[in-house]
Amino acid sequence: MKALIVNPYTETDRTAGKFKGFLEAMPPISVAYVAAALEQAGLPVACYDDFLEGGSLTRFEETIRREKPDVIGFSTFTPTAPGVSRIAQFCRSRFPDIKLMQGGVHATVYGERLLQSGETDFIVHNEGEVTTVELMKCLANGGNLGDVQGISWLSDGEVVHNPARPMIKDLDTIPFPAWHLLPWERYRLFNFARVTDPATLVLGSRGCPYRCNFCSLTVMGHQRRKRSIKNLVDECEYMWDRYGFKQMAYVDPIFPISRKEAIAFRDEVCKRGLQRHQVWTTETRVDLMDRETVEAMYESGCRRVMFGFETGDQETLDAIRKDFKIAQAYEAVRLCHKVGMGVIGFFIIGSPGESERSINMTIDFACDLGIDFAKFTSFVPYPGTPIYYEFLKDGTITDPEMYDFARYTSYPTDDNPTIYVTPSLTQDDLKRLQKKAFRKFYLRPEMVYRHLFKIKALNVNDMVNGLRLVFAKD
């Protein structure tokens, strides 16, 4: 019983619009984790990156005929949902005997619909490593599907939801991602996160104790489960020794989460001398930064940190439940710059209740922080987030809108308006203000100088795309 695990194609023409030129083929870590679990269990497995292959049905068919899988699994998120639907239909028409399964937040939210439409045979909920292995063994041995925790499936045309599987408590039991099953040399991080090449992703924990209302990571629970420092550094060292990865980029919502964790990580990295070969980047919260934490991060190789600043309006910040103060953002940036760490800022345009005035406050805030990169995205109520369910309940999002998944975009265009616009703005307002934000932040003389002569993270293609973007007619 062989599985083919697929990273789906994303229709970037619709979902990213003019920002498409800045996208890179990122390492699909969820695919690599599930593949590693299957491989460790002794089950035949192969991987295919549909995004990397540009959604080519010809290459996909060639892969299926070469690998001869019994089951094809898709890692499904809302931006990839149209791509999954497309290749699932292709599988049904060309390879009707192959079973299909989907995992990911989107698959969990729309499980019943996906099963009833025939787009998939199985939904794997939440974490996929243990559940996928058990499902594959069950199918191979002709076992009882009702015994597999954490899946939904069809029985005589009716959707069956099996009991939920408990979250994996000991993350050290999960094998390192199976990058050897993917064309890892072809992946790159986004330029704002890339310090050096080659680089890849790493996961140090799952779950988040914070409750931002726009975050879909709530599906991993509010209890943070972390890997041991030794296990984490073992992976970093392994990635250097086997692949020569010079940068590890953390995909945790928060790493490190405390001064104690930062110091313990620093001590283990430096004991092995790994900081001489490898740097790392991460995302964390501004209210977790203090001098000792920042110094420990830098000493262990952290060279760029990402903060979800989101907005420069404290009222909006409170409304989206970020639970920190604007003053803490300035202090976090100051501490990072003091030791020489670069700072990337994420900002949201058009959160519920926002006005043009509050968005202009955010733009001014981003420029005033003194950070190196800023990413301005429009607010999106992604399926699975608390705000998504609030919007369904109050009628803000209704059928058929909720199923037009390409419109869950952070970069709306005339051809693909976003799924949600706060009542005080229009679609045109949102696009205009987003462009204004990028233009005002990056076209400042000091910022142009910094990127050309100091940071040097943007290549010629990025600069050309950027100029086209900010000077294009609205």
Side-chain angles (χ1 to χ4, degrees):
M1 182 66 67
K2 184 174 184 178
L4 177 66
I5 309 300
V6 177
N7 181 46
Y9 177 67
T10 305
E11 297 178 280
T12 53
D13 285 335
R14 289 196 69 193
T15 59
K18 295 176 182 177
F19 292 87
K20 177 183 177 180
F22 293 98
L23 299 182
E24 299 283 357
M26 292 280 283
I29 192 169
S30 58
V31 168
Y33 261 124
V34 171
L38 290 166
E39 190 175 57
Q40 184 186 62
L43 295 167
V45 59
C47 297
Y48 178 76
D49 196 322
D50 191 43
F51 183 85
L52 203 59
E53 299 300 336
S56 169
L57 292 177
T58 299
R59 293 194 188 98
F60 184 53
E61 182 171 6
E62 289 171 353
T63 300
I64 294 175
R65 296 193 182 281
R66 181 180 67 250
E67 299 296 341
K68 298 179 173 58
D70 302 287
V71 178
I72 298 177
F74 303 100
S75 178
T76 311
F77 301 91
T78 300
T80 67
V84 173
S85 179
R86 174 173 172 263
I87 52 180
Q89 291 172 22
F90 177 80
C91 289
R92 292 301 196 202
S93 63
R94 295 291 184 92
F95 305 96
D97 294 333
I98 295 178
K99 296 293 184 181
L100 305 181
M101 63 179 174
Q102 292 191 32
V105 178
H106 183 92
T108 289
V109 174
Y110 293 108
E112 290 206 14
R113 179 174 179 266
L114 293 170
L115 288 164
Q116 290 171 341
S117 68
E119 189 170 309
T120 192
D121 297 297
F122 306 102
I123 298 294
V124 175
H125 298 284
N126 301 326
E127 295 169 301
E129 292 85 1
V130 177
T131 303
T132 303
V133 167
E134 287 196 11
L135 175 58
M136 290 297 295
K137 287 182 176 179
C138 180
L139 293 173
N141 300 325
N144 182 3
L145 288 170
D147 293 335
V148 182
Q149 290 182 324
I151 68 168
S152 295
W153 53 292
L154 281 178
S155 177
D156 296 325
E158 297 295 324
V159 175
V160 177
H161 298 294
N162 288 1
R165 180 177 300 280
M167 295 294 187
I168 301 171
K169 291 184 178 180
D170 184 2
L171 298 185
D172 287 3
T173 61
I174 304 174
F176 300 158
W179 295 121
H180 61 284
L181 297 179
L182 288 151
W184 60 268
E185 305 97 331
R186 297 174 63 186
Y187 296 115
R188 296 189 79 196
L189 305 184
F190 293 147
N191 283 337
F192 63 77
R194 187 173 65 247
V195 177
T196 187
D197 285 315
T200 194
L201 305 181
V202 62
L203 177 73
S205 64
R206 289 178 177 174
C208 180
Y210 296 91
R211 298 176 183 268
C212 307
N213 68 4
F214 57 89
C215 181
S216 61
L217 291 177
T218 53
V219 298
M220 287 296 178
H222 290 295
Q223 181 178 356
R224 184 176 185 260
R225 296 160 289 133
K226 63 179 182 178
R227 296 166 63 183
S228 68
I229 294 298
K230 179 183 181 302
N231 180 259
L232 187 54
V233 180
D234 280 349
E235 181 180 346
C236 296
E237 191 170 45
Y238 170 77
M239 292 301 169
W240 163 252
D241 290 339
R242 173 160 182 173
Y243 302 101
F245 282 125
K246 296 179 181 179
Q247 179 186 345
M248 303 296 285
Y250 283 81
V251 294
D252 306 41
I254 304 168
F255 180 83
I257 201 169
S258 67
R259 181 192 309 156
K260 180 180 178 181
E261 188 171 71
I263 291 172
F265 183 75
R266 186 268 317 274
D267 291 347
E268 185 67 23
V269 166
C270 293
K271 182 177 74 174
R272 306 189 197 192
L274 190 58
Q275 81 284 0
R276 294 193 292 267
H277 310 294
Q278 198 175 71
V279 298
W280 56 282
T281 54
T282 192
E283 182 174 356
T284 185
R285 288 175 57 94
V286 298
D287 52 343
L288 298 178
M289 295 291 97
D290 60 31
R291 181 182 59 81
E292 291 178 276
T293 299
V294 171
E295 288 176 353
M297 290 169 65
Y298 187 82
E299 289 164 6
S300 59
C302 185
R303 291 298 177 265
R304 202 168 288 165
V305 62
M306 293 166 271
F307 292 120
F309 297 111
E310 319 306 2
T311 174
D313 177 27
Q314 187 66 54
E315 186 175 335
T316 302
L317 200 63
D318 295 340
I320 60 176
R321 304 172 195 167
K322 283 295 290 190
D323 294 336
F324 64 76
K325 302 300 180 184
I326 297 292
Q328 291 174 302
Y330 283 101
E331 177 62 8
V333 174
R334 186 190 70 80
L335 289 169
C336 290
H337 283 171
K338 188 174 181 180
V339 299
M341 280 199 301
V343 178
I344 302 161
F346 298 145
F347 301 89
I348 298 175
I349 301 294
S351 296
E354 274 213 290
S355 62
E356 183 160 344
R357 176 181 175 277
S358 64
I359 292 173
N360 281 321
M361 289 171 66
T362 296
I363 297 171
D364 291 341
F365 173 56
C367 294
D368 192 47
L369 279 168
I371 59 179
D372 305 297
F373 295 86
K375 182 180 178 184
F376 301 91
T377 56
S378 64
F379 181 87
V380 182
Y382 282 111
T385 62
I387 195 68
Y388 170 79
Y389 292 112
E390 289 180 26
F391 281 0
L392 285 184
K393 186 177 180 179
D394 67 19
T396 300
I397 296 177
T398 58
D399 288 335
E401 287 180 329
M402 61 186 292
Y403 299 128
D404 191 359
F405 299 124
R407 288 187 59 199
Y408 290 85
T409 173
S410 298
Y411 305 101
T413 64
D414 290 340
D415 296 330
N416 189 43
T418 185
I419 198 75
Y420 169 78
V421 181
T422 187
S424 64
L425 301 175
T426 65
Q427 293 278 353
D428 287 341
D429 290 333
L430 194 61
K431 289 181 293 181
R432 172 177 54 82
L433 289 166
Q434 187 175 42
K435 182 181 290 187
K436 176 183 178 180
F438 279 105
R439 184 183 294 161
K440 189 168 183 179
F441 182 87
Y442 283 105
L443 292 188
R444 292 171 295 154
E446 67 270 26
M447 186 57 62
V448 173
Y449 175 83
R450 189 185 301 180
H451 279 278
L452 286 176
F453 300 107
K454 289 188 175 182
I455 303 173
K456 299 179 180 179
L458 302 180
N459 56 37
V460 173
N461 183 60
D462 294 324
M463 294 179 184
V464 171
N465 284 329
L467 289 172
R468 286 175 176 169
L469 182 66
V470 298
F471 288 116
K473 293 181 179 179
D474 295 326

